[in-house]
Amino acid sequence: MASRQRAFEQVKMSAGHHNRDDEQSKIRTDETVSKNPTYRYEDDPPDGGWGWLIVLSSHICILLSYGSSVCFSPFIVRLKDYFEDGAGPVGGISGTAIFLSQVLGPISTILVKRFSCRSVVLVGGAISSTGFLLSSFSTQVSHLYVTYGLITGCGYGLIITPAMSFPARYFKKRYAFANGLVFAGNAVAWIAITPLSQFLIELYGWRGAMLIFSALQLHVCVFSLFLLAPPQKRFLIEECQTSKCLKENASATDEISANSCILELDESLENTCTSGNHKEDSSKTKKLFKSCINVFDLSLFSNPLFVLLCIDYVMFASGFFPTLLFLVDRALTLDIHTPSPTTLVMIAGVTSLIGRVCHGVIIDSKIITSVQGLAGGLMVCGLVNIFSVFTSSYISLALIYTVFGFANGVYNPLTTVVVKDFVGRKKFPQGQGLCQVFRGIGGLIGPPITGLIFDASQSYNVCYIYSGSMLFLGGFMLVSVPCIRKWGRSRVEIYEKD
């Protein structure tokens, strides 16, 4: 009996030890879990240093991509004569490249998040260079639609938006100044690329010029190598006490990473990471697919102001791009050979640079709002094109397109500001992406329509009345914004009363 009692006590003591071990193990497990915090990583903009090399690299990339697509006018003149084709089909080549360069912008932002800005821009430079190289061997206009319009346009689409957005990761206090230097690449292209194209065509022919531009596009690949990610700082999101909490935080941070996939054109890109970012390939694919859906947020079309802005983008893009693309050919039809007609585009580029500098002063003075500035700039550009039909000399064209360039420089930076004003900060990336698509549609239809009008009338006066009307109506439509806002507020008041 005594032996049984001692055995029972030993079993009881052993069970007690096991229970204490389980409790201590549980405490150690909880301590281990509590020591697995979730972190969020964000860019720490240095506001200088390597960032200035980033600005230079982005400036060169914009100059050689977006600027080159707009400054195709000397090639249009030569290709018309070489292939003995009309201005409509030849103008459509450039229109195709402009369309793809805009439409692929939102897609390129997703690729940047999946890979890196440096990789995407490098591939874009290689593709655009290949397009120019293949274009030099084209024997028909239809070949150029594939080589320049499709291939080079796709390359531009992978370059423009990432190059414009990336400096925002390096600058915070000086971002406005750095952003202005980057966007100036477009106006500098008007000054440099157009006369360079004309010079190379006269010296080596259009095929030789295409080959040289193919080599120039490779400089995009070189400068893309400088687009390195900035230093980052780590933030503690929350210390998790249980494995369930860890899972909830992981899902929350996944959502943050997916939603921050889009690069904003005028704000810092947040490179968001967590301690659980080592996912399977299927998870990355789902996240990438979700990001693609987030880019094209169709719910924005329930906003009447955004619908108005999309229509406006199509209209003013279909008027703006033909203005520059056919300006050299127009001067030649007026028998203007000296000075070179390309200097008209150069003059517009110089005043556009001045306008980009002055637009901030005009808006900051509170004399006009950003919407009024955009509307006014578009209407001035439209009136310039319309009244240019009464000019026939070099001096008169130079004077009137001085005004065009300045007005363009004022309104162009305001387009993104107005998008944010209409859709709000939260949906700005999606709104900007959709507006780029509609601007691409305008760039696609504008040049061939303008060219077909010239082929039918054999006069650029009718063409510039058309392009001027599109620009003017695009600005005039924005005058109705206060009325639409007032109508929207009245609908809300009626709904609240009901």
Side-chain angles (χ1 to χ4, degrees):
M1 190 73 177
S3 62
R4 286 184 180 180
Q5 187 174 359
R6 284 194 299 271
F8 176 75
E9 288 176 356
Q10 289 177 357
V11 171
K12 186 177 179 180
M13 290 176 63
S14 177
H17 283 301
H18 282 298
N19 289 337
R20 284 194 296 272
D21 291 341
D22 291 341
E23 290 177 359
Q24 291 177 359
S25 176
K26 183 178 180 181
I27 292 172
R28 286 195 299 269
T29 302
D30 291 341
E31 289 177 352
T32 302
V33 172
S34 65
K35 291 180 181 179
N36 289 327
T38 305
Y39 294 101
R40 181 163 56 94
Y41 294 85
E42 290 185 357
D43 294 336
D44 186 15
D47 272 311
W50 187 268
W52 296 119
L53 189 57
I54 298 295
V55 169
L56 175 63
S57 301
S58 297
H59 177 91
I60 298 297
C61 291
I62 297 302
L63 189 153
L64 292 175
S65 55
Y66 185 67
S68 296
S69 65
V70 175
C71 301
F72 197 68
S73 50
F75 284 100
I76 290 179
V77 175
R78 187 56 58 94
L79 292 174
K80 278 177 55 184
D81 295 337
Y82 184 86
F83 291 108
E84 297 180 351
D85 210 337
V90 175
I93 299 170
S94 184
T96 304
I98 292 171
F99 170 72
L100 289 171
S101 68
Q102 298 296 315
V103 171
L104 291 180
I107 306 301
S108 66
T109 62
I110 300 173
L111 296 176
V112 166
K113 186 66 181 181
R114 178 63 180 84
F115 301 101
S116 69
C117 184
R118 178 171 56 173
S119 301
V120 173
V121 175
L122 190 148
V123 171
I127 292 174
S128 61
S129 175
T130 302
F132 269 108
L133 177 64
L134 295 176
S135 296
S136 66
F137 298 102
S138 299
T139 56
Q140 297 179 15
V141 171
S142 59
H143 295 167
L144 288 168
Y145 271 88
V146 177
T147 56
Y148 180 81
L150 181 61
I151 299 177
T152 302
C154 287
Y156 288 163
L158 296 178
I159 297 170
I160 295 172
T161 301
M164 285 182 175
S165 305
F166 195 74
R169 299 182 63 181
Y170 272 84
F171 291 90
K172 188 174 183 181
K173 296 179 182 179
R174 301 178 181 177
Y175 173 61
F177 178 67
N179 190 52
L181 292 177
V182 172
F183 274 76
N186 185 23
V188 172
W190 298 12
I191 301 171
I193 297 297
T194 305
L196 177 63
S197 301
Q198 184 65 37
F199 173 76
L200 293 176
I201 289 172
E202 292 177 353
L203 194 61
Y204 300 108
W206 70 268
R207 295 184 187 275
M210 288 280 189
L211 284 172
I212 294 174
F213 268 94
S214 175
L216 288 175
Q217 291 298 314
L218 291 176
H219 287 75
V220 173
C221 301
V222 175
F223 281 96
S224 69
L225 300 177
F226 297 110
L227 301 179
L228 301 173
Q232 294 188 332
K233 51 187 175 182
R234 188 175 69 173
F235 296 92
L236 179 64
I237 295 180
E238 183 181 357
E239 286 193 1
C240 303
Q241 301 298 328
T242 63
S243 59
K244 180 180 179 181
C245 181
L246 281 173
K247 291 180 180 179
E248 289 176 355
N249 276 341
S251 62
T253 50
D254 285 346
E255 184 178 356
I256 292 172
S257 297
N259 289 337
S260 64
C261 178
I262 304 167
L263 298 176
E264 294 188 20
L265 291 181
D266 64 340
E267 293 191 2
S268 175
L269 171 66
E270 294 185 354
N271 184 15
T272 308
C273 304
T274 65
S275 60
N277 60 354
H278 299 288
K279 306 293 183 181
E280 296 180 355
D281 292 338
S282 60
S283 177
K284 292 181 179 180
T285 304
K286 291 179 181 178
K287 189 185 296 184
L288 189 63
F289 179 72
K290 183 179 179 181
S291 300
C292 293
I293 295 175
N294 288 338
V295 170
F296 302 103
D297 187 358
L298 300 182
S299 65
L300 288 169
F301 290 103
S302 62
N303 182 350
L305 286 176
F306 182 73
V307 174
L308 175 71
L309 191 62
C310 290
I311 298 172
D312 187 71
Y313 262 74
V314 175
M315 294 185 69
F316 83 72
S318 65
F320 166 72
F321 290 113
T323 300
L324 294 179
L325 290 173
F326 292 103
L327 186 57
V328 173
D329 196 33
R330 181 189 182 187
L332 292 174
T333 58
L334 294 174
D335 201 24
I336 298 174
H337 297 278
T338 305
S340 175
T342 57
T343 56
L344 295 173
V345 182
M346 292 175 59
I347 291 170
V350 171
T351 53
S352 179
L353 270 178
I354 298 172
R356 290 166 192 267
V357 174
C358 296
H359 92 278
V361 178
I362 297 173
I363 301 301
D364 291 342
S365 64
K366 306 297 182 182
I367 299 175
I368 58 175
T369 65
S370 57
V371 177
Q372 291 170 342
L374 176 59
L378 288 172
M379 287 193 287
V380 169
C381 287
L383 290 174
V384 166
N385 274 356
I386 293 172
F387 285 107
S388 69
V389 301
F390 301 107
T391 61
S392 58
S393 65
Y394 175 85
I395 295 177
S396 58
L397 282 173
L399 289 174
I400 200 167
Y401 280 98
T402 297
V403 179
F404 180 93
F406 183 82
N408 171 265
V410 171
Y411 84 72
N412 195 53
L414 296 176
T415 54
T416 54
V417 178
V418 172
V419 174
K420 183 180 288 186
D421 183 36
F422 283 6
V423 304
R425 180 187 179 90
K426 185 177 180 180
K427 292 192 174 184
F428 167 68
Q430 292 90 338
Q432 181 64 30
L434 286 171
C435 284
Q436 279 188 255
V437 173
F438 282 94
R439 179 161 53 186
I441 293 172
L444 176 66
I445 65 176
I449 289 177
T450 304
L452 290 174
I453 293 174
F454 174 78
D455 294 336
S457 63
Q458 291 300 307
S459 172
Y460 274 113
N461 287 342
V462 183
C463 299
Y464 276 73
I465 289 175
Y466 158 76
S467 60
S469 300
M470 291 295 102
L471 284 165
F472 183 83
L473 290 175
F476 186 76
M477 286 175 60
L478 295 175
V479 178
S480 63
V481 168
C483 299
I484 295 176
R485 281 178 168 163
K486 184 177 180 180
W487 172 73
R489 285 193 295 267
S490 64
R491 286 187 62 189
V492 172
E493 292 173 359
I494 293 172
Y495 176 77
E496 291 177 348
K497 289 179 181 179
D498 293 340

